[in-house]
């Protein structure tokens, strides 16, 4: 498989920033043709309470689990996650005090979002095979410092 980690000649591993240069530098096959095709399929949803101070980013099953939060939060749901939806996310994330990434792994997507937005995000990992709205709300409440209903 293809990895986001590159090892240099000294054996030191480093995580590359951003997927656009990743494709070019590491040879993931993201040449101009792939970028052009990907740009035609920049699929995502942006919905919910866009006047909220918090944007939730979630994809796949986690986006369906957190969908009931749309009355209190704005939601960005990338449908295509690679290549990263850089322009689309930056445009929609402007003006939000908090950006929360809810994902069913340990922060890999959140790390890419931080790299792209050049700011810290609140990470809500739903691990252990259990993906529940109650768990997401509990963790968001702790990290936002207010009750998420």
């Amino acid at each position: 498989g293809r990895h986001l980690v590159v090892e240099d000649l000294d054996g030191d591993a480093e995580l590359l920033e951003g997927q656009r240069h990743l494709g070019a530098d590491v040879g993931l096959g993201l040449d101009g043709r792939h970028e052009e095709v990907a740009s035609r399929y920049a699929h995502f949803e942006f919905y919910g309470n866009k006047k909220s101070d918090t944007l939730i980013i979630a994809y796949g099953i986690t986006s369906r689990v957190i969908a009931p939060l749309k009355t209190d939060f704005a939601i960005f749901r990338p449908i295509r996650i690679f290549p990263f939806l850089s322009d689309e996310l930056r445009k929609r994330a402007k003006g939000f005090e908090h950006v929360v990434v809810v994902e069913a792994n340990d922060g890999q997507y959140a790390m890419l979002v931080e790299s792209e937005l050049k700011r810290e995000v609140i990470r809500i990992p739903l691990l252990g095979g259990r993906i529940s709205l109650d768990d997401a709300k509990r963790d968001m409440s702790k990290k936002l410092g207010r009750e998420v209903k």
Side-chain angles (χ1 to χ4, degrees):
R2 296 179 173 146
H3 303 281
L4 295 176
V5 176
V6 175
E7 207 168 293
D8 65 19
L9 295 176
D10 298 328
D12 295 326
E14 73 177 76
L15 187 61
L16 295 179
E17 301 253 342
Q19 292 181 359
R20 288 204 189 277
H21 82 268
L22 177 75
D25 294 347
V26 183
L28 291 183
L30 294 180
D31 57 20
R33 180 175 55 91
H34 288 95
E35 287 289 338
E36 190 272 323
V37 170
S39 72
R40 289 189 308 215
Y41 298 97
H43 298 309
F44 65 91
E45 292 178 345
F46 181 56
Y47 64 97
N49 182 353
K50 296 175 186 171
K51 293 181 180 183
S52 171
D53 69 344
T54 303
L55 172 67
I56 300 173
I57 301 170
Y59 61 91
I61 188 65
T62 58
S63 67
R64 290 168 186 82
V65 168
I66 59 96
L69 300 176
K70 67 185 175 192
T71 55
D72 295 321
F73 300 98
I75 298 174
F76 182 84
R77 177 181 174 252
I79 296 168
R80 183 196 84 206
I81 62 170
F82 187 79
F84 196 82
L85 294 167
S86 302
D87 296 336
E88 297 81 3
L89 177 60
R90 273 195 314 271
K91 180 179 176 186
R92 275 121 195 125
K94 282 184 182 175
F96 287 99
E97 183 179 344
H98 306 285
V99 175
V100 177
V101 178
V102 181
E103 58 183 314
N105 54 53
D106 202 16
Q108 290 87 338
Y109 198 74
M111 178 187 61
L112 295 172
V113 170
E114 285 180 336
S115 176
E116 191 58 46
L117 296 181
K118 310 280 189 270
R119 63 181 279 190
E120 285 189 42
V121 303
I122 296 170
R123 299 174 183 214
I124 307 294
L126 300 177
L127 302 171
R130 181 183 162 116
I131 300 171
S132 91
L133 179 58
D134 289 338
D135 289 349
K137 290 191 310 188
R138 182 195 65 233
D139 292 351
M140 285 177 61
S141 294
K142 286 180 192 174
K143 293 184 179 183
L144 287 171
R146 65 179 190 248
E147 185 180 4
V148 174
K149 300 177 186 179

